[in-house]
Amino acid sequence: MTSKRHSRFAEEFLAFIAARELRYARCRQTSAALGYTARPPDGSYEWVAATGAATLYTFVIYHQGYSDYFSTPYNVAVVELDEGPRLVSTVVIDDLAKLKVGMKLKAAFENTGRLVFVPV
Amino acid sequence: MARTPLAAIVGLGFSELSRKPIGSIRDLAIAAVGAAVADAGLTSGDIDGLLVVRSPLAKFEDLPLKIQDDLDLRDLRLLSSVEAEGSSTLQAIQQATMALRHGMAQTVVCVFSDAPLAPGTSGSSAFDLVMPMTGIDGWEARYGMFGAVGPYALAARCYMARYGATAEHFGAYAIANRQWAQRNPLAFLRNPLSMEQYLASRWIVEPFRMLDCAYPVNGAIAVVVTATERAADAPSPPVYVYGLGQGHAGLPGVRGFDRELRTGAEIAGQGAYRMAGVNARDVAMCQFYDAFSYTGIQSLEDYGLCQRGEAAGFVAAGHTAPGGRLPVNTGGGHLSGYYLQGMTPVAEAVIQARGDGGERQVTKRDVILVSGNGGRLDYHAALIVSPLKSLT
């Protein structure tokens, strides 16, 4: 038997993302929302659909280019889902100057399948 | 109760430091170890422990344990490579101290060496790793979160939003570093720096400008740590080690755990203070691992030297600059001095404790706090050092 406690949790999350579903893990016993850094034992958690409602926890604007795939300036954000978990993403916004910590956001999927957030 | 030292730093050695290629990581390490052993008035036969530290971005074979033979070190009783990202150098000195305390070894060399700058590499491209934060491997790359600078800038933005800190606060930190660097012949950036110049510096990852970021160099630094009772014979005044602490808070990644503002450094500081029998009020000067301006501000708060939310104002008031009441990074730190990870603060602490600071020498130096920080504010190690033979 192989042990996959680290990789399985991430694979499950990414499989939902590939199906354009944003889910988070919840502890079966306490109902507490778990962060995506958690690696709970098999059977101790369940994946629950997130509402997609979120808050901008923090963000930065890349002016220095590191890769041809990203044209500067672009933003990288940490969003906090209303249910509690935080994850790195980006906010789709016409004017970067309008980004503000604490602003309300909603999850969306780009045509490529990438999870992003848009202002509400 | 008076505290007696745990160990003593009796040797400090540098390789050449340069922005140009000046040799391999291994060759630079050899040069620094030789200089440190000579500085301690010792020869290779006196050394019975070696701890090597490399950058998290370097490969094991860049600085292998075989360097023992390059250095003609025989019959070692302690040999290891220490890996805890940016906290490694401080952890190496902690491990040396513990080994000395228990008689496992008597004289240990700790060396850090790095050569990130090759022809045509910029500081940014030399450190363009992807730091995982979400917990899902590969996730951050989807959003272009490259380099250490992005994750640290995310933390800085949190602080700005929470406490109302501004660009001028970060500028004040960078300027204070520069003022110290102007007094340090080892520092690389020594031209005067005004707030206008700081604000005109180009964005890297907003809210960080180029002048909020460490100034990388190629080079190596080594220290010789020995048992306290052996320190009296050293040619230079011994720098005594009194307190060791580490703090690794973990990143649950959910609401309520704001690791951007409150980090494991708090735990590291408490541990180091307790062991040394001092508290934050006793700290006369700080040598922080400040690879980004915000790290210095965050360290002032996590190490209990300022109240939460007050460090930015403390820095802007000039308290950490030359002539201020709590000198911080008196060699110019990582921003204006040179970026050799944990060895930058360690080397400056040794220089200040010895009284070798020249134009930048701080008078009150009885309790010196030294910090190391790795990952994105994830891994912390702290030391309390002093030139005094006992602390009361």
Side-chain angles (χ1 to χ4, degrees), chain A residues 37 39 57 80 88 114-115, chain B residues 135 139 143 251 255 260:
Chain A
T37 51
R39 291 297 181 272
Y57 176 65
E80 182 178 286
V88 168
R114 189 173 75 144
L115 174 70
Chain B
W139 186 256
Y143 301 97
L251 184 68
R255 183 183 299 130
E260 294 77 8

Side-chain angles (χ1 to χ4, degrees), chain B residues 266-293:
Chain B
E266 186 175 34
I267 301 165
Q270 288 164 355
Y273 294 150
R274 192 182 317 115
M275 197 182 291
V278 300
N279 58 47
R281 279 191 310 280
D282 301 316
V283 172
M285 111 179 64
C286 304
Q287 307 297 346
F288 291 138
Y289 189 115
D290 65 343
F292 301 100
S293 56

